[in-house]
Amino acid sequence: AQRVTQPEKLLSVFKGAPVELKCNYSYSGSPELFWYVQYSRQRLQLLLRHISRESIKGFTADLNKGETSFHLKKPFAQEEDSAMYYCALRNNAGNMLTFGGGTRLMVKP
Amino acid sequence: ETGVTQSPTHLIKTRGQQVTLRCSSQSGHNTVSWYQQALGQGPQFIFQYYREEENGRGNFPPRFSGLQFPNYSSELNVNALELDDSALYLCASSSAGGGGETQYFGPGTRLLVL
């Protein structure tokens, strides 16, 4: 069985502060991890995927297989980063995404 | 390019009734996945359809069923509605069945079961 855990329901930081949204996973195969974001009144959209190893909107995430983690980081938070963030894992068959419970990020001015 | 659309946007049903939700995939996409998102939780995978066949299913009872049509649009049917079926139902389309492509989500249908 695959499982994704996001331990924080809410993360509140001030503008300019570093941000780390935690994600831990459990999966017996080779995981493919994603971060999805949902801004207010918008649909769920892909932020980044671990295989791309890219930085999107200043966010990065590194897959740590030893710690089974895929934490999302940004060195300097912006007010426009306020949103719901979901970590997701895709199975090896590629046909199922398992989401974590989500973390609401609030960036205060 | 047209994005994923879902209808209706909101729906109210009573316990025991049946409901059909609809999803039009993004242009060029042949795969549709359905998710249930209860309040305060992350989306939970229901099933995926690829080329009109079910291509994977999550931990949902058989009263949750689906269809995919030749134009790749899809329906989610739920029979014998229960109060716990109240949720946001999301569909997502992608361009390859289980091929690892990015899923693009629709705005969702909010279902309330009374």
Side-chain angles (χ1 to χ4, degrees):
Chain A
Q2 56 194 74
R3 186 181 181 91
V4 177
T5 303
Q6 294 178 249
E8 303 139 327
K9 284 284 189 185
L10 173 65
L11 185 62
S12 182
V13 300
F14 285 102
K15 177 183 173 182
V19 169
E20 183 179 50
L21 291 93
K22 292 183 167 49
C23 171
N24 290 92
Y25 68 89
S26 172
Y27 185 54
S28 57
S30 182
E32 188 176 3
L33 276 298
F34 303 81
W35 277 98
Y36 278 81
V37 60
Q38 187 167 27
Y39 300 103
S40 179
R41 298 188 181 86
Q42 295 187 27
R43 60 187 66 188
L44 198 60
Q45 60 186 284
L46 178 67
L47 180 62
L48 54 80
R49 53 198 297 182
H50 90 270
I51 60 172
S52 300
R53 300 187 66 80
E54 57 195 345
S55 173
I56 304 292
K57 299 184 179 182
F59 285 97
T60 59
D62 290 319
L63 178 60
N64 186 323
K65 292 186 178 180
E67 296 183 359
T68 60
S69 68
F70 187 57
H71 302 328
L72 183 68
K73 300 176 183 179
K74 185 170 183 176
F76 307 104
Q78 303 299 314
E79 289 182 68
E80 55 266 30
D81 296 328
S82 296
M84 278 296 296
Y85 291 81
Y86 294 95
C87 181
L89 181 153
R90 179 154 58 198
N91 62 347
N92 289 157
N95 60 354
M96 182 167 74
L97 275 178
T98 298
F99 285 84
T103 298
R104 179 170 296 282
L105 174 64
M106 291 179 55
V107 182
K108 297 176 287 188
Chain B
E1 187 177 272
T2 306
V4 179
T5 60
Q6 293 185 243
S7 62
T9 55
H10 296 84
L11 203 52
I12 299 175
K13 292 286 188 178
T14 56
R15 197 169 47 182
Q17 286 188 310
Q18 178 266 343
V19 69
T20 298
L21 310 182
R22 294 177 176 83
C23 172
S24 291
S25 59
Q26 184 166 310
S27 177
H29 288 181
N30 58 12
T31 303
V32 173
S33 302
W34 285 93
Y35 296 85
Q36 181 195 66
Q37 186 173 20
L39 200 61
Q41 298 182 24
Q44 190 172 359
F45 176 73
I46 303 174
F47 43 55
Q48 182 185 85
Y49 276 83
Y50 170 58
R51 293 185 176 176
E52 304 178 55
E53 298 284 335
E54 188 177 285
N55 183 43
R57 188 180 183 93
N59 189 26
F60 280 81
R63 59 189 185 84
F64 285 78
S65 62
L67 282 174
Q68 188 179 32
F69 301 98
N71 66 354
Y72 305 125
S73 65
S74 178
E75 286 183 355
L76 165 65
N77 298 289
V78 187
N79 293 321
L81 283 167
E82 300 177 359
L83 297 180
D84 285 349
D85 296 333
S86 295
L88 181 68
Y89 288 85
L90 298 169
C91 81
S93 72
S94 55
S95 60
E101 295 298 318
T102 298
Q103 294 189 11
Y104 292 85
F105 283 81
T109 293
R110 189 164 295 282
L111 172 65
L112 178 61
V113 182
L114 302 175

